[in-house]
């Protein structure tokens, strides 16, 4: 089976093509389509009920057929409503995109997505799945099948816990991490008990361990690095020195890194101060400021110098 038809520069049309491929029929957003033919749909459900009854070698009685019909109708309506709510979010999200990739969405990915999406009934999780569909249409390959499978079994509480960790994400030139220098700070200031760290590790979203650290080598000349926490920037200038060291960290897995793109990071200067403390050494100078995105580049607007 080939890829979908491409609509470069027309995000909503590409989304509709992906949706139509996933559900097996031409999709029109609920907000702009007429009501479906209810009688035709009822006939489809009735035929499905007969098929199930025959497959089970049961004598089709009128009462039994009615019971099966109502059960299937209820299940199908629930699944359709789940998909509709997810698609409404995806349509809203994609309409905010000025342009998207012309690359095709993998048909296997689309099939897996809709097989899972029809059983997602929680409102918050539906919003998450809607953003995933929009993100994949915008840039195919953003969310792996492994990520879909993990999210399938992720409940609302686990998603909320992951969001707390996402707010702590520190991004720099070579990766993402969370400084882990004080467990008491996590428990008392961030309301993150160690059991939640273990849970995220069990779910395959975080990697932790005594041997896990961010290594800083000795330097023969000064070096400058920018660390980002959402729109907050931490500019670290390290002078030449001969004392390498390692910073204990929590690291995000590949699946977690895909999910991080869905979560907006709120400004938290108290946490930024904690990160400055973790990055600070006698050889560093640290400036905290704001990161301003300008087209294809970033500009750092300094606010204050960190003092231990």
């Amino acid at each position: 089976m080939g890829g979908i038809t491409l609509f470069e520069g027309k995000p909503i049309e590409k989304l509709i093509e992906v949706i139509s491929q996933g559900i097996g029929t031409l999709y029109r957003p609920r907000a702009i389509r007429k009501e479906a033919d209810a009688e035709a749909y009822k006939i489809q459900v009735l035929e499905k009920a007969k098929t199930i009854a025959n497959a089970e070698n049961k004598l089709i009685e009128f009462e039994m057929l009615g019971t099966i019909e109502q059960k299937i109708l209820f299940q199908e309506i629930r699944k359709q409503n789940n998909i509709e709510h997810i698609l409404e979010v995806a349509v809203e999200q994609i309409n905010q995109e000025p342009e998207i990739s012309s690359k095709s969405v993998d048909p296997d990915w689309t099939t897996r997505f809709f097989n899972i999406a029809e059983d997602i009934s929680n409102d918050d999780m539906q919003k998450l799945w809607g953003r995933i569909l929009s993100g994949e249409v915008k840039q195919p390959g953003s969310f792996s099948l492994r990520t879909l499978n993990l999210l399938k079994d992720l409940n609302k509480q686990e998603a909320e816990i992951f969001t707390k960790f996402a707010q702590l994400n520190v991004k720099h030139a070579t990766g993402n991490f969370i400084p882990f220098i004080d467990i008491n700070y996590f428990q008392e200031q961030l309301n993150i008990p160690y059991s939640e760290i273990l849970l995220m590790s069990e779910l395959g979203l975080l990697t932790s361990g005594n041997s896990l650290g961010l290594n800083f080598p000795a330097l023969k000349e000064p070096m400058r690095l920018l660390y980002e926490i959402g729109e907050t920037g931490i500019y670290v200038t390290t002078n030449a020195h001969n004392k390498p060291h390692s910073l204990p960290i929590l690291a995000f897995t590949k699946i977690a890194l895909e999910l991080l793109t869905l979560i907006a990071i709120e400004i938290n200067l108290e946490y930024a101060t904690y990160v400055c403390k973790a990055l600070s050494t006698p050889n560093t100078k640290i400036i905290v400021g704001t990161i301003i995105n300008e087209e294809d580049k970033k500009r750092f607007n300094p606010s204050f110098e960190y003092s231990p």
Side-chain angles (χ1 to χ4, degrees):
M1 184 175 182
I4 64 170
T5 303
L6 304 181
F7 293 90
E8 186 172 8
K10 298 180 180 179
I12 187 62
E13 294 186 24
K14 182 179 178 184
L15 174 63
I16 289 174
E17 275 291 316
V18 173
I19 294 170
S20 300
Q21 183 186 56
I23 63 179
T25 185
L26 180 63
Y27 172 78
R28 290 171 293 169
R30 182 160 57 182
I32 62 173
R33 71 171 187 260
K34 296 180 180 179
E35 290 296 322
D37 187 341
E39 188 61 32
Y41 185 69
K42 183 177 179 180
I43 292 173
Q44 292 177 9
V45 172
L46 182 61
E47 291 302 318
K48 188 172 183 178
K50 290 180 180 179
T51 300
I52 291 177
N54 287 328
E56 296 178 356
N57 295 318
K58 292 181 178 178
L59 180 64
I60 304 178
E61 299 177 355
F62 181 78
E63 293 80 3
M64 178 190 297
L65 188 60
T67 300
I68 297 174
E69 178 186 347
Q70 290 302 314
K71 179 180 179 181
I72 295 174
L73 186 61
F74 173 79
Q75 293 174 338
E76 293 299 319
I77 289 175
R78 177 183 60 80
K79 290 179 179 180
Q80 185 60 30
N81 281 334
N82 289 342
I83 289 177
E84 290 286 355
H85 290 149
I86 290 171
L87 298 185
E88 286 174 358
V89 174
V91 169
E92 180 182 356
Q93 292 287 316
I94 207 71
N95 276 331
Q96 299 174 20
E97 298 294 340
E99 59 182 29
I100 58 176
S101 169
S102 61
K103 182 180 178 182
S104 298
V105 176
D106 183 356
D108 289 341
W109 187 96
T110 304
T111 299
R112 184 78 59 86
F113 178 90
F114 282 98
N115 285 343
I116 297 173
E118 65 182 14
D119 291 321
I120 305 298
S121 57
N122 178 271
D123 183 62
D124 289 334
M125 297 304 289
Q126 286 174 346
K127 291 177 182 177
L128 177 63
W129 281 85
R131 292 197 296 272
I132 287 174
L133 178 58
S134 174
E136 186 68 14
V137 171
K138 176 184 177 182
Q139 184 58 59
S142 296
F143 302 98
S144 65
L145 292 177
R146 288 190 298 272
T147 296
L148 297 187
N149 288 333
L150 184 145
L151 279 177
K152 177 182 64 175
D153 299 321
L154 198 70
N155 61 40
K156 180 182 177 182
Q157 182 183 12
E158 292 166 342
E160 290 174 347
I161 292 174
F162 176 72
T163 299
K164 288 198 295 184
F165 285 93
Q167 297 297 321
L168 309 179
N169 177 40
V170 180
K171 183 170 65 173
H172 67 120
T174 59
N176 300 256
F177 67 97
I178 299 174
F180 193 52
I181 60 173
D182 187 353
I183 182 60
N184 292 327
Y185 176 80
F186 275 70
Q187 295 175 340
E188 298 170 8
Q189 302 299 321
L190 300 177
N191 191 30
I192 296 178
Y194 192 68
S195 59
E196 292 185 350
I197 297 176
L198 294 177
L199 175 61
M200 292 296 100
S201 297
E202 291 172 1
L203 292 175
L205 295 170
L206 278 183
T207 302
S208 61
N210 295 331
S211 61
L212 188 63
L214 189 63
N215 297 318
F216 296 88
L219 296 176
K220 294 183 179 181
E221 57 185 29
M223 180 176 67
R224 301 178 72 186
L225 286 175
L226 176 63
Y227 297 86
E228 303 176 40
I229 312 171
E231 296 180 353
T232 301
I234 300 175
Y235 226 129
V236 180
T237 301
T238 306
N239 296 323
H241 65 89
N242 60 357
K243 295 181 179 179
H245 70 284
S246 179
L247 172 64
I249 63 170
L250 301 175
F252 292 100
T253 64
K254 185 178 183 299
I255 291 176
L257 292 176
E258 293 180 4
L259 297 179
L260 286 177
T261 62
L262 302 171
I263 301 174
I265 307 300
E266 300 176 0
I267 296 176
N268 184 339
L269 290 180
E270 180 184 339
Y271 176 66
T273 301
Y274 166 83
V275 175
C276 289
K277 177 182 177 182
L279 296 172
S280 178
T281 73
N283 301 297
T284 57
K285 177 181 179 180
I286 299 178
I287 303 294
V288 180
T290 304
I291 298 172
I292 301 173
N293 293 301
E294 296 178 337
E295 296 181 355
D296 59 346
K297 64 179 181 179
K298 296 179 180 180
R299 181 166 61 87
F300 178 74
N301 186 22
S303 298
F304 63 90
E305 181 177 349
Y306 168 75
S307 178

